[in-house]
Amino acid sequence: MKVHFRLRRNMRTSAGENVALQSVNIDAAFTNLFCETTTTQVYRNLEKKPIEAVYTFPLASGAVLLGLKVAIGGRELKGVVTEKPSAEEKYEEAITDGNAVVMLEQLEPGLYSMNVGNILADEEARVTIIYTELYCWQGNTLRFHLPTTIAPRFGNPESVGLEPYQTPEYDLLTENRFQLKLTFSGLLADAAMDSPSHQIAISKSGNAATVTLATGNACMDRDFILNIRTDQVDKDAVLLDRDCNGGFVALASFAPRLPIADKTPPKSIKILVDCSGSMGGDSIAQARQAINDILSMLRPVDFFNLIAFGSTCKTCFKQQAQASKANITKVKRLLRSLDADMGGTEIHRALQATVQIPGPPVPQDILLITDGEVYKDSKIINTAKQSGHRIFTVGVGSSVSESFVLQLAKETGGACELVSPNENMAERITRHFKRIYLTQADIAICWPVEPVKTIPRDIGPVYDGDTLHAFACFDKQISGPVILEMTLADGRTFSQTVILEDGKNLMPGNDLPGPIARVAIHRSLTDEDEKAAKELAVKYQLISPYTNYLVVDVRAEDKKTQDLPALRKVPQMPAAGWGGVGTAFHYRSVDDVELSGDILFQLSEEPSDQLSWERRLKKHKLDIWGAGVQDSELRHKERQQTTPEFFINQCNRLQEKKWSLATLKIKSYNDLLACNLPDRILHTLKCIAMLFYPQPAEKLIVLAFLCVLTELDIGKSFSPKTRQAIRKAKKALCPSEQLVEMMVTLFAGVSKDDWGRAIL
């Protein structure tokens, strides 16, 4: 299989600006459940004037930053955690004084902003972030999740504290890439590993295993996922680490083993599914699969309902319905028309409406299926906490907002499962149902001696096989048994014990606080008031809502910049499969897939740029004009009956009401739909995109289609100004000859009568 790379040097955005971020290299090392990751971001100024690069980027929501290093101008400097107001003031002073300066800020859990100020012309800055994360078993699986891009989110970013220069921007011409190396030692070295998101290479040497990208590097358009599986039963462990002032911190990790109840009482489950526009494509396909799996696991004694939401909220039943065969069949029929066509992600209203649905006098649970692409709002979290419902979240898609779906589950006593394209949905739903049906247990941890402090203060619900992490602070080194005691509602008790041996479980290091101590304190910040949390964050050098990392490089006088630097935001790559654009599914032969509107074309993953498009059509047995969308005519009858003249007039109106007539304003699939393009034509355009490797950007597909229409009889209604804008865009973006040739051949014979009827 050939692998095609594009040259990264001098890459520009669609606005013509050079991209300051040149590469990202990630090196992670696992020791049992602890993972320490080193991420190096390389910035280079390819302009003739100083710039300030701003990059908003994701990390795993559980990441605890341990260090920041900057190499610039032949010098290497270390970051210092400083209170936020002071860090921001010193940053602005350094910019004004002409010095190089770097500031790293946490915008919310899992979302960060990097400011690299006063990079001189042709100067390179290497910024290295070191962070650690504590992972959990879910049954026999440990899931390594590395976010690479931020999918567009619903809501106002300023409402959650993002400044305009920190708000992510997207560019279809951007191609950010990363390299990755994962090293495993200890228990995980012999585990089975697979990635549903990327092709990987695994090598083993002695007691260690290494995972790299098989292609060397990859685009940052989807999260990297690695599933690690082991059949080892005993996953309990305890570690001891040094704290400040001669103290110690212990970490006990238990995988509770709870019995299955002889008889499980009826349950009432509300299935809440996100049908907003961002769920289009991969995510809504996964949601349908999830609901189908949920319905198959309901028992006749259970109650259920299906609620779809976007800008509005629709319920299948007025109240919780018995899980009878007839009711389940009714919902399965409705699944055929379930689509991502309900507007924005108004999840707060949806939660309010869902909790108010009347049900039987049994505990009420919500199964929420969403990509989580919203800016978190305190109202959403508070509604969830006060609902009296446990929320079990299923995060779907190639770039899930992990922190949001995790927090919703955590705050309500539920649990979270993340599912990327190509992963087994049924496995996740089965685990959730196991959690829902199992009896709850009261939990207590007995330490060898009384701790000075325990983190968290209150241990929430635990579920069979899901790792429970608990920290305890001591004023001296301890040893002995650590016991997890579990008491069921019927009075039965169970316990698990792990031994903390004197000296053998002590993490190596010096008198400074070690990584376990810093992770423990980081988790305790939410339990403290702002003043105490701020003091702890500075003392333990932790980035937090109250503190930033700061590095200032004082330049020689002749190297100082005289003018303020030009602001350059690093654009994001659109997430694969987001909003129905492209797909993150592994492609396979169409022989294995029934073509429909529910599943976008899933073609061979082999690079096929050496094949003519005619051979590709023949190879994959695609009948572009013959296959149909089962429910498209029913749901969009009015749109499909439009004429080409009406569509083109709408294009002219859209183009002319924009402020710049010289720039083409019809750039996306949504723009085409806004002009009343029939769904079947849009589906054809998406199919055409899938025939090329690498896939053309959405903007190129739209442009090529408009270019072809201007040459056909049905396109005579384009106004001169619209034609001029199309010609100018064609000259700038240069869609490939193969792409245009394919569209000319496919659309040349389309008449007015065929416009909304004969096309896929």
Side-chain angles (χ1 to χ4, degrees):
M1 174 177 175
K2 295 181 180 179
V3 181
H4 299 261
F5 298 102
R6 295 180 182 174
L7 194 61
R8 194 61 183 77
R9 183 172 175 79
N10 293 336
M11 198 179 72
R12 293 172 177 266
T13 67
S14 60
E17 297 173 347
N18 288 296
V19 176
L21 180 67
Q22 295 298 291
S23 64
V24 177
N25 185 75
I26 298 159
D27 196 333
F30 265 92
T31 303
N32 293 330
L33 296 183
F34 254 101
C35 179
E36 184 171 300
T37 303
T38 301
T39 297
T40 301
Q41 301 171 351
V42 180
Y43 299 85
R44 178 175 286 277
N45 181 3
L46 301 174
E47 304 181 38
K48 296 181 180 180
K49 56 186 177 183
I51 66 169
E52 176 185 9
V54 180
Y55 180 33
T56 299
F57 63 96
L59 292 177
S61 61
V64 179
L65 275 65
L66 301 179
L68 179 71
K69 299 178 182 179
V70 177
I72 188 170
R75 297 169 300 282
E76 185 170 297
L77 306 121
K78 291 186 177 181
V80 177
V81 172
T82 309
E83 289 188 21
K84 189 178 290 289
S86 175
E88 292 173 346
E89 183 179 349
K90 291 178 180 178
Y91 180 87
E92 294 300 331
E93 286 179 359
I95 290 288
T96 304
D97 293 343
N99 295 315
V101 59
V102 174
M103 183 171 70
L104 177 60
E105 178 179 2
Q106 177 184 329
L107 305 176
E108 62 178 49
L111 190 63
Y112 295 81
S113 179
M114 179 76 75
N115 290 61
V116 186
N118 276 337
I119 311 177
L120 301 178
D122 202 37
E123 186 174 47
E124 181 179 278
R126 301 177 68 88
V127 182
T128 300
I129 307 167
I130 303 167
Y131 65 90
T132 190
E133 190 173 3
L134 186 56
Y135 280 82
C136 298
W137 289 104
Q138 291 183 311
N140 290 331
T141 303
L142 184 150
R143 190 176 195 270
F144 175 78
H145 176 214
L146 179 72
T148 66
T149 190
I150 306 164
R153 299 183 179 184
F154 178 78
N156 181 8
E158 295 182 9
S159 67
V160 293
L162 271 68
E163 299 291 342
Y165 64 86
Q166 296 170 329
T167 303
E169 291 183 354
Y170 303 86
D171 197 300
L172 291 171
L173 300 184
T174 294
E175 193 176 278
N176 301 326
R177 286 186 172 271
F178 74 103
Q179 293 179 314
L180 173 70
K181 179 183 177 182
L182 285 169
T183 305
F184 297 87
S185 59
L187 171 66
L188 301 181
D190 296 324
M193 303 176 191
D194 69 87
S195 173
S197 60
H198 294 74
Q199 294 182 354
I200 59 172
I202 303 174
S203 61
K204 294 189 177 182
S205 177
N207 296 323
T210 302
V211 174
T212 56
L213 294 170
T215 54
N217 59 23
C219 286
M220 299 173 69
D221 66 344
R222 68 199 69 196
D223 296 348
F224 175 85
I225 306 297
L226 185 71
N227 289 319
I228 305 155
R229 294 181 174 88
T230 180
D231 294 329
Q232 182 168 330
V233 176
D234 187 7
K235 300 185 180 73
D236 300 343
V238 63
L239 293 171
L240 192 65
D241 201 3
R242 290 177 174 84
D243 198 359
C244 293
N245 304 320
F248 293 85
V249 175
L251 164 64
S253 302
F254 291 99
R257 297 182 290 275
L258 295 169
I260 298 176
D262 296 333
K263 186 177 181 181
T264 305
K267 299 291 182 179
S268 181
I269 300 170
K270 300 173 180 178
I271 308 167
L272 180 60
V273 59
D274 185 350
C275 291
S276 63
S278 68
M279 287 283 290
D282 290 351
S283 297
I284 198 67
Q286 286 184 287
R288 293 192 198 98
Q289 182 188 346
I291 296 169
N292 194 65
D293 292 336
I294 291 167
L295 296 176
S296 66
M297 293 179 188
L298 291 170
R299 306 166 304 169
V301 296
D302 295 330
F303 296 83
F304 80 113
N305 209 335
L306 176 64
I307 306 99
F309 76 93
S311 299
T312 58
C313 193
K314 300 177 182 178
T315 60
C316 186
F317 304 105
K318 292 183 179 180
Q319 60 184 13
Q320 292 295 91
Q322 197 86 36
S324 64
K325 185 176 180 179
N327 286 335
I328 289 176
T329 300
K330 176 181 177 180
V331 174
K332 284 188 175 182
R333 287 174 180 166
L334 290 175
L335 283 182
R336 299 175 186 173
S337 60
L338 192 72
D339 208 348
D341 56 2
M342 293 184 66
T345 315
E346 292 282 3
I347 195 168
H348 183 234
R349 293 181 187 174
L351 281 173
Q352 287 178 317
T354 300
V355 300
Q356 292 172 5
I357 296 174
V362 298
Q364 304 290 310
D365 294 320
I366 295 174
L367 260 171
L368 171 63
I369 306 165
T370 180
D371 57 10
E373 300 303 347
V374 296
Y375 283 105
K376 283 197 298 186
D377 190 310
S378 59
K379 292 188 298 183
I380 300 175
I381 303 301
N382 290 335
T383 296
K385 290 170 64 174
Q386 298 168 10
S387 68
H389 292 56
R390 292 183 303 176
I391 300 180
F392 295 85
T393 55
V394 182
V396 296
S398 61
S399 182
V400 180
S401 181
E402 179 198 21
S403 63
F404 177 71
V405 290
L406 278 173
Q407 187 174 3
L408 270 183
K410 180 181 176 182
E411 296 289 351
T412 60
C416 175
E417 292 279 355
L418 303 179
V419 193
S420 69
N422 305 302
E423 285 194 282
N424 187 343
M425 178 67 76
E427 178 184 344
R428 271 58 175 186
I429 299 302
T430 299
R431 284 207 293 256
H432 265 337
F433 267 80
K434 186 178 178 181
R435 297 178 181 114
I436 291 171
Y437 286 152
L438 277 178
T439 304
Q440 291 292 295
D442 292 329
I443 300 297
I445 295 180
C446 299
W447 299 91
V449 298
E450 187 67 24
V452 176
K453 180 180 182 180
T454 58
I455 304 167
R457 291 174 180 172
D458 299 313
I459 300 175
V462 297
Y463 297 99
D464 181 71
D466 292 359
T467 301
L468 163 68
H469 293 301
F471 299 87
C473 302
F474 303 92
D475 53 13
K476 61 180 181 180
Q477 187 171 342
I478 64 166
S479 62
V482 181
I483 305 171
L484 172 67
E485 295 183 345
M486 300 168 284
T487 305
L488 302 183
D490 59 10
R492 289 182 295 167
T493 61
F494 300 86
S495 66
Q496 294 172 214
T497 302
V498 62
I499 302 299
L500 176 59
E501 299 182 24
D502 190 8
K504 291 185 179 180
N505 300 74
L506 183 62
M507 294 282 286
N510 47 38
D511 292 334
L512 296 175
I516 291 179
R518 295 177 72 184
V519 170
I521 296 302
H522 187 271
R523 293 197 175 193
S524 73
L525 294 180
T526 55
D527 295 331
E528 307 288 348
D529 59 46
E530 182 175 336
K531 181 180 179 181
K534 193 181 300 181
E535 291 174 353
L536 283 171
V538 173
K539 179 179 179 180
Y540 283 83
Q541 288 292 283
L542 298 170
I543 191 170
S544 70
Y546 318 108
T547 51
N548 294 351
Y549 259 116
L550 185 69
V551 177
V552 178
D553 177 26
V554 180
R555 299 186 188 272
E557 287 299 322
D558 60 338
K559 295 291 185 181
K560 292 180 182 288
T561 58
Q562 301 303 314
D563 300 320
L564 291 178
L567 183 67
R568 293 291 180 260
K569 293 175 69 172
V570 176
Q572 305 282 324
M573 289 189 71
W578 184 90
V581 180
T583 179
F585 281 110
H586 289 322
Y587 309 139
R588 59 187 189 274
S589 171
V590 176
D591 294 339
D592 302 326
V593 182
E594 179 183 353
L595 297 181
S596 72
D598 294 344
I599 303 177
L600 293 182
F601 275 65
Q602 302 183 25
L603 307 178
S604 169
E605 194 176 20
E606 297 177 4
S608 53
D609 49 318
Q610 295 182 355
L611 297 176
S612 68
W613 69 265
E614 296 97 334
R615 288 173 61 196
R616 269 175 263 158
L617 285 174
K618 184 177 180 180
K619 175 181 177 182
H620 298 295
K621 302 177 183 177
L622 294 182
D623 180 4
I624 289 291
W625 308 108
V629 181
Q630 295 173 357
D631 58 350
S632 182
E633 291 183 277
L634 295 176
R635 291 184 292 108
H636 302 286
K637 185 175 181 181
E638 181 179 351
R639 185 190 296 157
Q640 290 185 340
Q641 291 179 344
T642 185
T643 63
E645 289 89 352
F646 184 78
F647 165 75
I648 291 170
N649 286 334
Q650 292 294 98
C651 290
N652 293 335
R653 290 180 62 187
L654 179 63
Q655 180 67 26
E656 291 170 1
K657 72 179 181 180
K658 301 292 183 177
W659 64 272
S660 176
L661 296 180
T663 303
L664 183 64
K665 297 303 178 183
I666 308 162
K667 300 180 180 180
S668 68
Y669 296 147
N670 283 338
D671 291 337
L672 294 178
L673 290 177
C675 295
N676 272 45
L677 183 77
D679 284 301
R680 294 190 171 204
I681 296 183
L682 178 60
H683 194 71
T684 301
L685 296 180
K686 291 182 179 181
C687 294
I688 292 172
M690 301 293 286
L691 290 171
F692 288 82
Y693 183 94
Q695 291 181 39
E698 178 180 348
K699 186 184 296 185
L700 287 175
I701 293 290
V702 173
L703 175 60
F705 174 65
L706 294 174
C707 289
V708 169
L709 287 186
T710 60
E711 303 300 322
L712 301 178
D713 288 340
I714 59 176
K716 291 181 179 179
S717 301
F718 278 117
S719 68
K721 291 181 179 179
T722 304
R723 286 178 179 272
Q724 180 184 0
I726 293 172
R727 285 196 297 269
K728 183 177 179 180
K730 181 180 179 181
K731 186 176 181 180
L733 296 179
C734 300
S736 71
E737 292 181 3
Q738 275 192 329
L739 178 59
V740 175
E741 177 191 1
M742 175 184 286
M743 289 197 181
V744 168
T745 304
L746 291 174
F747 289 99
V750 178
S751 67
K752 296 179 181 180
D753 294 334
D754 294 329
W755 180 249
R757 175 166 49 82
I759 300 175
L760 180 68

